């Protein structure tokens, strides 16, 4: 019975605001803080702690993504460029490739550099990637390769935002515009 | 590990589900051993199959696909809300389960007069024909409200609350429809009324399923937000889910009506129920 009441209370809390006026969905408390072990663009192993002190925006995709990833990343980069220089310096966009077979660290470096200097490409083993995606209740999957060995990848379309203490804050859907992303990142920086 | 074995590893292990399913099976086997009036093989099969289906869709890799693919999720609810509870109710397992209940538990329950009264009135309310139908259809609509669906898929506790509510309500509803005068506290509805109720729950399910199947817009973006289990066009996913909500779900009413007709034809006139409030 006690558990049922807890569940009902939780149900009523989901979706309630916390005084902030976000364009994204407030998911603070609904999901755990940031934690991962992945490989960066230089081939070095990195963990979430390596980015502490930054506002962190994470997006999952793959570099051969035809439209969804480039659109989302271009909007995010545009929103970043609008921010004051000091806010940009303490904000980082992590692009996590869930296609490690095709996306090498070097390729990721070239890909992210085209969007914004504060964007970093990460990837990892299937196990490392699954540990991270499961933590945020998201997933990814692959099509069967065609005759040329090419295949499509399904992945999360949302941007997950963490404050400078690496606590989960926002889920930014991909239908948000540059202005809305800009406003939310600016507000994230004040937390 | 072989792929087929990996399928049986629960995606999200639930102690409550494990205890409920294996506990029910244990009670049933105990009851079968200790009772003289054994049910037919068909009833036993229906009971075991119903439990097994509930287990398969919640405690295997099937649950992973249900969380990351809309149409599989609709299949999961078809089993939890329609098929498995229907089979369990068809088996009419209460006398066997009661026979399997350890004596101490029975005594304990017998001594709790207040709790029993409370349970009886709650049960009578839930099993009022109008309440039962509204609950049955209402829960489908409730969890398919886009904002609610989004949160349920994102939050683990809400997700479990959703699946439990579907399974328990399914049990309540099919129990009421397939009641056969076993002397329990389930109201004995007239057979005509049952067929009427079974027909009444069809149109709302057909409308919802057809709207999903024919919609040009994606209703539930949570599957894009969280990523799909494999690449599939969002609209295709939704159309398949709509078809599952529409056709097999409505077909269950037809099958149940046939079963009720069979009850009607095989029941001696004097023991047939007269009307709803008797």
């Amino acid at each position: 019975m006690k558990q049922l009441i807890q569940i009902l209370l939780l149900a009523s809390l989901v979706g309630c605001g916390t005084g902030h006026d976000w364009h994204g969905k407030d998911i603070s408390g609904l999901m755990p803080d940031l934690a991962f072990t992945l490989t960066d663009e230089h081939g070095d192993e990195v963990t979430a702690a390596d980015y502490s002190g930054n506002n962190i925006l994470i997006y999952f995709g793959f570099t051969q993504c035809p439209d969804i990833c480039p659109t989302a990343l271009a909007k995010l980069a545009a929103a970043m460029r609008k921010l004051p220089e000091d806010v940009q310096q303490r904000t980082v966009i992590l692009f996590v490739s869930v296609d490690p077979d095709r996306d090498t660290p070097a390729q990721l470096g070239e890909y992210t550099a085209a969007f914004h200097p504060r964007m970093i490409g990460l990837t990892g083993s299937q196990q490392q990637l699954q540990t991270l995606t499961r933590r945020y209740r998201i997933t990814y999957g692959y099509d069967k390769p065609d005759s040329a060995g090419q295949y499509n990848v399904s992945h999360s379309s949302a941007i997950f935002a963490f404050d400078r203490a690496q606590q989960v804050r926002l889920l930014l859907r991909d239908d948000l515009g540059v202005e809305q992303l800009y406003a939310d990142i600016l507000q994230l920086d004040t937390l | 590990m072989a792929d087929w074995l990996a399928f049986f590893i629960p995606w999200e292990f639930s102690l409550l589900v494990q205890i409920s399913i294996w506990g029910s099976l244990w009670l049933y086997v105990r009851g079968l051993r200790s009772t003289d009036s054994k049910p037919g093989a068909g009833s036993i099969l229906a009971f075991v199959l119903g439990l097994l289906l509930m287990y398969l869709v919640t405690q295997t890799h099937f649950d992973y696909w249900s969380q990351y693919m809309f149409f599989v999720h609709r299949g999961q609810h078809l089993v939890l809300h329609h098929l498995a509870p229907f089979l369990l109710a068809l088996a009419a397992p209460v006398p066997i389960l009661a026979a399997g209940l350890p004596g101490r538990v029975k005594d304990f329950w017998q001594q709790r007069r207040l709790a029993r009264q409370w349970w009886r009135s709650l049960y009578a309310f839930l099993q009022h024909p109008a309440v039962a139908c509204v609950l049955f259809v209402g829960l489908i609509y409730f969890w398919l409200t886009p904002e609610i669906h989004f949160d349920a898929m994102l939050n683990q506790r809400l997700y479990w609350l959703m699946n439990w509510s579907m399974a328990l309500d399914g049990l309540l509803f099919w129990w009421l429809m397939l009641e056969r005068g076993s002397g329990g506290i389930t109201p004995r509805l007239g057979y005509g009324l049952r067929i009427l109720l079974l027909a009444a729950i069809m149109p709302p399910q057909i409308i919802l399923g057809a709207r999903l199947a024919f919609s040009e817009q994606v209703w539930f973006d949570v599957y894009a937000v969280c990523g799909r289990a494999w690449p599939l066009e969002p609209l295709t996913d939704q159309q398949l889910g709509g078809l599952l909500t529409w056709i097999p779900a409505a077909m269950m009413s037809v099958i149940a009506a046939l079963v009720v007709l069979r009850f009607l034809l095989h029941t001696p006139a004097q023991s047939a129920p007269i009307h709803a409030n008797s």
Side-chain angles (χ1 to χ4, degrees), chain A residues 48-56 89-91 163-166 189:
Chain A
D50 292 321
Y51 303 99
S52 69
N54 286 289
N55 304 301
I56 300 177
Q89 285 313 313
R90 52 175 181 262
T91 303
D163 63 22
R164 278 177 285 159
Q166 307 212 321
D189 183 61

Side-chain angles (χ1 to χ4, degrees), chain B residues 40 55 57 100 108 125 140-141 156 189-190 198 220-221 224 239 255 260 264 273:
Chain B
Y55 185 88
V57 297
F108 181 82
F125 169 74
I140 304 176
Y141 274 74
Q156 194 184 22
L189 302 186
L198 286 166
F220 309 102
D221 69 341
Q239 283 157 0
I255 296 169
V260 172
L264 177 65

Side-chain angles (χ1 to χ4, degrees), chain B residues 127-180:
Chain B
Q127 293 294 47
H128 181 280
V131 175
C133 285
V134 169
L135 258 183
F136 188 83
V137 173
L139 272 177
I140 304 176
Y141 274 74
F142 177 79
W143 292 115
L144 284 178
T145 309
E147 299 78 34
I148 295 167
H149 195 75
F150 190 93
D151 286 351
M153 283 296 167
L154 212 61
N155 184 274
Q156 194 184 22
R157 282 203 257 186
L158 272 181
Y159 178 74
W160 281 110
L161 180 70
M162 167 174 79
N163 283 352
W164 270 102
S165 71
M166 293 309 267
L168 292 179
D169 177 64
L171 277 173
L172 280 173
F173 184 79
W174 298 111
W175 218 265
L176 184 65
M177 288 302 115
L178 303 179
E179 203 278 335
R180 255 155 296 174

Side-chain angles (χ1 to χ4, degrees), chain A residues 7 10-11 14 25 30-31 134 137-143 152-158 171 173, chain B residues 11-12 64 67-68 150-151 153-159 161 221 224-231:
Chain A
I7 289 172
L10 183 89
V14 173
K25 186 181 166 64
L30 279 187
M31 294 201 166
R134 250 195 110 149
R137 288 182 77 73
I138 58 174
T139 198
Y140 60 91
Y142 310 106
D143 253 349
N152 197 6
V153 180
S154 59
H155 58 90
S156 161
S157 69
L171 189 150
R173 284 176 160 105
Chain B
W11 174 246
E12 285 174 342
Y64 165 76
Q67 290 187 27
Y68 297 107
F150 190 93
D151 286 351
M153 283 296 167
L154 212 61
N155 184 274
Q156 194 184 22
R157 282 203 257 186
L158 272 181
Y159 178 74
L161 180 70
D221 69 341
V225 164
C226 293
R228 286 188 160 76
W230 65 88

